[in-house]
Amino acid sequence: MGIVNSIINLGTSGIPKGQTRLTRVLNKINLLSIILALALLVINVLSQLWVQAACNAASILLVFIPVYLLNHYHKHQWSRVLFVFGLTSSVAGISIFNVINGRATNTEIIILAICSFIIIIFEGRTQIVLYLFTAFSLFLIEFLKDYYLRDLMWSNAYFFTLINYSVTLIGVFYFTQIFKSELDLAVGKVSKLNDELEKSRFILSSLIDNTPLFLAMIDSKGKYRVVNKKYEEAFQMTKAQFSGKHYKEVLDEEMATFHEPLIHRCMGGEVVDFYQQIESTKGLYQHSYGKYFPVFNDLGEVQYITVFVTDISELKKAEAQLQELNATKNRLFSVLAHDIISPINLLRNTLYLSEHEDAIGENDLREFLHRAKGHLLVLIHMMENLLRWGKSQFHGWTSDPEEINVKPVIQGVLNVYRDHSKRKNLKVNFELDTNLTITADKGHLELILRNLIVNAFKFSNTNGLVDIQVCSKQGDMIISVSDQGCGMNKALLERIQSGKSIVSEMGTDGESGTGLGLQLCFDVALKEGWVLNVLSGAQKGTSFVLTIPNSVSC
């Protein structure tokens, strides 16, 4: 069938639809003519009718095969003329030969069929000329039959035959012309409907393919009938590959198990919605929401099921971030209500006592002032973290790199919190070449160093050691802040490394905090393109290592 289709469609590429139909009709009739000519060739050879056999062979070689060649080279008008002229001449030649040899075979009847073909294939002057040529061929054959077979010339029978043929030819002409006109009209309407249908199909297909949902339709047997582009991309299959496949052949085992009862419920006429959280190996989604809708036929039976699925992973992520921000907000209000108000109240009381020295001794007043100073440092540290966090949340991120001498920055932080370390009698080990400079945002570096150093002081035990090491390696600056304190458990360590908010824990001497310090450190490092790692274990101390790539300038 592939060869036959190729022959029928020969020469139809790149031509208008109307020409395509005419070319296909000619190719079909030409193929039928070749088959009949071959059959007649065999019969005539077996009957030893050599002249007739030669005419059959000549028709095949000089008419039918050249018709296909002309169509192949898009010489469609010439191929039609050749077919009509060649076939008519061949039939007329065989008929005349039979008449001269006294054989009444009525082969000329085939010419009437050629007349109908002329009406269908041709238009205008060419149609009239070829039609008159076939009519003349019929009249000539009848004249010769009257002369050779009946020994008559211009007899009454001949004139009545001419009249009958003329009426027949006129009837064939007009009846076929009317039929052709009606057929062309019907074909035109069908073509217009097909164009509108194709346009509607294109619009519908575009809407389905461009929808942000996963959309599919399966029949009552669970086989896919329609899928959209997102389905194709997700499963890496084409629409043709989906068509006719059962959903269990497409979905993995976990998904098929989840959706099977939903599909069965929908087959019962129920609209089913669902939420699914999965880890897909094909990258479909992690969180999805969807619905199954039954499509009923005229008998009220479920014939198809449509499924709409949307990826809500981003919504879930936004929801988690919103919950995180809400938890942070609640924690900030708690900090404002307790951890910040308490130092302010202590400072207020100290100021009150300083105005009433007679109510308290000098030594007690000095102790109050020392405690107030310590709480004030903690308060300033908290406020700086809160302000930095608030600025990053509401005003976006800005960075202003400059050349910095690292040692004064670290020494400045240690000087500010010296009383904090002295209160625990901590030993701080810090040595650094004063000429080591880097290019970085000074404020962001100070923020990270301050939080890491204060964190080390906060969770160090009395008489503990805090070690600060700074070195350069292949243009990178590496700063490590280590303590020998209580350390962090695995859950807290994972939460810090993932960038999630944490609840502040009390230090070894009852120190409080906001819980934002380490979160800010990781956030700043990430946005600056720095790397902050943490190594810790319960009761094993903690070590933070900050790497600033390609920053060392000398």
Side-chain angles (χ1 to χ4, degrees):
M1 291 301 294
I3 297 175
V4 173
N5 286 331
S6 298
I7 293 174
I8 291 172
N9 291 303
L10 189 66
T12 59
S13 61
I15 61 175
K17 288 183 178 179
Q19 293 294 323
T20 299
R21 287 195 296 269
L22 294 178
T23 303
R24 283 173 55 87
V25 169
L26 176 59
N27 287 338
K28 289 178 181 178
I29 294 176
N30 197 52
L31 180 61
L32 178 62
S33 300
I34 290 175
I35 295 171
L36 292 175
L38 288 171
L40 290 172
L41 176 62
V42 172
I43 292 172
N44 288 327
V45 168
L46 294 175
S47 303
Q48 296 183 353
L49 300 173
W50 305 114
V51 174
Q52 290 86 337
C55 287
N56 298 144
S59 298
I60 295 172
L61 296 175
L62 301 178
V63 178
F64 303 138
I65 293 177
V67 164
Y68 283 129
L69 291 175
L70 289 171
N71 277 338
H72 175 71
Y73 291 106
H74 287 201
K75 305 294 183 180
H76 300 102
Q77 186 71 5
W78 284 106
S79 68
R80 295 168 201 157
V81 171
L82 174 62
F83 179 81
V84 171
F85 185 80
L87 185 58
T88 303
S89 300
S90 177
V91 172
I94 292 174
S95 297
I96 291 171
F97 180 82
N98 288 335
V99 168
I100 292 174
N101 286 277
R103 297 178 68 244
T105 57
N106 295 323
T107 309
E108 67 276 8
I109 295 175
I110 299 175
I111 296 177
L112 290 174
I114 298 174
C115 291
S116 299
F117 177 76
I118 292 172
I119 303 302
I120 295 171
I121 292 296
F122 293 96
E123 298 284 350
R125 184 179 300 175
T126 306
Q127 181 189 72
I128 300 299
V129 170
L130 290 174
Y131 201 80
L132 291 175
F133 171 71
T134 54
F136 175 76
S137 299
L138 282 173
F139 295 160
L140 177 62
I141 293 168
E142 286 301 320
F143 175 79
L144 294 175
K145 285 173 70 174
D146 202 45
Y147 180 78
Y148 282 102
L149 298 180
R150 304 185 187 94
D151 292 328
L152 298 173
M153 183 176 293
W154 311 111
S155 65
N156 291 333
Y158 172 68
F159 284 108
F160 280 113
T161 302
L162 289 185
I163 293 171
N164 290 335
Y165 268 127
S166 297
V167 171
T168 302
L169 289 170
I170 293 171
V172 168
F173 182 88
Y174 283 104
F175 292 154
T176 307
Q177 192 73 35
I178 292 169
F179 174 76
K180 179 186 175 182
S181 299
E182 292 297 322
L183 182 63
D184 287 344
L185 184 62
V187 169
K189 290 181 179 179
V190 171
S191 180
K192 186 177 179 180
L193 289 174
N194 282 336
D195 290 341
E196 292 178 357
L197 181 62
E198 191 63 33
K199 185 178 179 181
S200 300
R201 185 184 289 113
F202 174 76
I203 293 172
L204 181 60
S205 178
S206 297
L207 288 173
I208 292 173
D209 281 340
N210 292 317
T211 183
L213 306 175
F214 295 89
L215 189 150
M217 175 180 281
I218 59 176
D219 59 22
S220 57
K221 296 180 180 179
K223 294 182 178 181
Y224 282 100
R225 294 303 176 193
V226 178
V227 296
N228 68 344
K229 193 173 182 180
K230 283 190 74 71
Y231 241 86
E232 289 183 285
E233 293 172 351
F235 291 97
Q236 297 180 352
M237 294 171 61
T238 64
K239 288 183 173 68
Q241 291 172 326
F242 268 106
S243 182
K245 273 188 177 292
H246 197 275
Y247 69 87
K248 289 184 179 180
E249 298 179 74
V250 176
L251 304 181
D252 59 36
E253 185 176 354
E254 181 184 358
M255 291 182 67
T257 302
F258 178 85
H259 285 274
E260 186 174 11
L262 303 178
I263 292 173
H264 285 167
R265 286 171 58 190
C266 193
M267 288 292 185
E270 182 182 353
V271 176
V272 184
D273 58 349
F274 62 89
Y275 165 74
Q276 187 178 19
Q277 180 179 356
I278 63 171
E279 292 289 339
S280 175
T281 56
K282 295 183 180 179
L284 257 177
Y285 42 71
Q286 292 178 326
H287 303 272
S288 66
Y289 171 78
K291 274 193 174 186
Y292 282 101
F293 291 91
V295 179
F296 299 93
N297 60 18
D298 295 338
L299 300 176
E301 300 169 339
V302 176
Q303 187 170 1
Y304 299 104
I305 290 177
T306 57
V307 56
F308 303 86
V309 185
T310 182
D311 184 353
I312 59 172
S313 298
E314 290 299 321
L315 289 176
K316 283 293 181 180
K317 185 178 178 180
E319 180 185 2
Q321 290 174 341
L322 187 60
Q323 291 175 348
E324 190 83 11
L325 288 173
N326 192 52
T328 303
K329 177 205 71 174
N330 293 335
R331 188 169 68 253
L332 289 180
F333 278 119
S334 175
V335 169
L336 290 170
H338 181 267
D339 294 329
I340 291 179
I341 293 298
S342 295
I344 292 176
N345 285 334
L346 178 62
L347 181 60
R348 185 189 65 180
N349 293 336
T350 302
L351 292 173
Y352 175 81
L353 290 174
S354 67
E355 293 175 353
H356 300 81
E357 295 182 8
D358 55 338
I360 188 172
E362 184 178 346
N363 291 334
D364 290 336
L365 180 59
R366 188 176 291 109
E367 177 65 23
F368 265 106
L369 289 173
H370 182 73
R371 288 175 57 193
K373 180 181 178 182
H375 282 285
L376 188 59
L377 282 175
V378 173
L379 178 61
I380 291 171
H381 177 67
M382 289 181 181
M383 292 303 296
E384 285 180 342
N385 281 341
L386 287 171
L387 290 172
R388 285 279 185 176
W389 179 83
K391 184 179 179 181
S392 68
Q393 294 296 311
F394 297 104
H395 298 288
W397 188 260
T398 58
S399 181
D400 187 18
E402 59 181 298
E403 278 205 354
I404 309 167
N405 193 324
V406 179
K407 185 171 184 178
V409 175
I410 298 176
Q411 197 63 60
V413 176
L414 293 175
N415 290 338
V416 171
Y417 294 98
R418 180 178 290 111
D419 289 343
H420 197 101
S421 61
K422 282 184 176 180
R423 190 162 54 247
K424 286 188 173 182
N425 195 28
L426 299 175
K427 180 182 179 182
V428 180
N429 180 27
F430 170 58
E431 291 292 337
L432 174 64
D433 182 1
T434 56
N435 293 324
L436 182 61
T437 60
I438 64 169
T439 301
D441 187 296
K442 185 177 180 180
H444 295 159
L445 180 62
E446 286 180 337
L447 172 69
I448 292 178
L449 292 174
R450 184 176 66 248
N451 277 285
L452 295 183
I453 292 172
V454 169
N455 193 73
F457 290 170
K458 179 179 176 180
F459 292 103
S460 288
N461 297 312
T462 303
N463 300 320
L465 171 67
V466 174
D467 185 46
I468 303 173
Q469 298 288 334
V470 182
C471 66
S472 63
K473 184 177 181 181
Q474 298 179 349
D476 299 345
M477 215 244 325
I478 301 173
I479 304 173
S480 65
V481 179
S482 305
D483 64 65
Q484 299 175 340
C486 58
M488 291 181 274
N489 58 43
K490 185 177 180 181
L492 180 59
L493 192 62
E494 289 177 352
R495 191 165 182 83
I496 290 173
Q497 289 175 324
S498 66
K500 296 180 179 179
S501 63
I502 58 173
V503 177
S504 177
E505 296 184 359
M506 301 297 289
T508 55
D509 197 26
E511 301 97 324
S512 62
T514 63
L516 286 175
L518 291 180
Q519 184 181 349
L520 273 173
C521 289
F522 279 92
D523 193 33
V524 169
L526 177 65
K527 291 176 178 177
E528 285 286 353
W530 304 343
V531 180
L532 182 59
N533 293 315
V534 55
L535 301 172
S536 185
Q539 304 304 322
K540 293 182 180 179
T542 303
S543 178
F544 287 93
V545 180
L546 175 66
T547 302
I548 305 179
N550 305 316
S551 59
V552 177
S553 51
C554 67

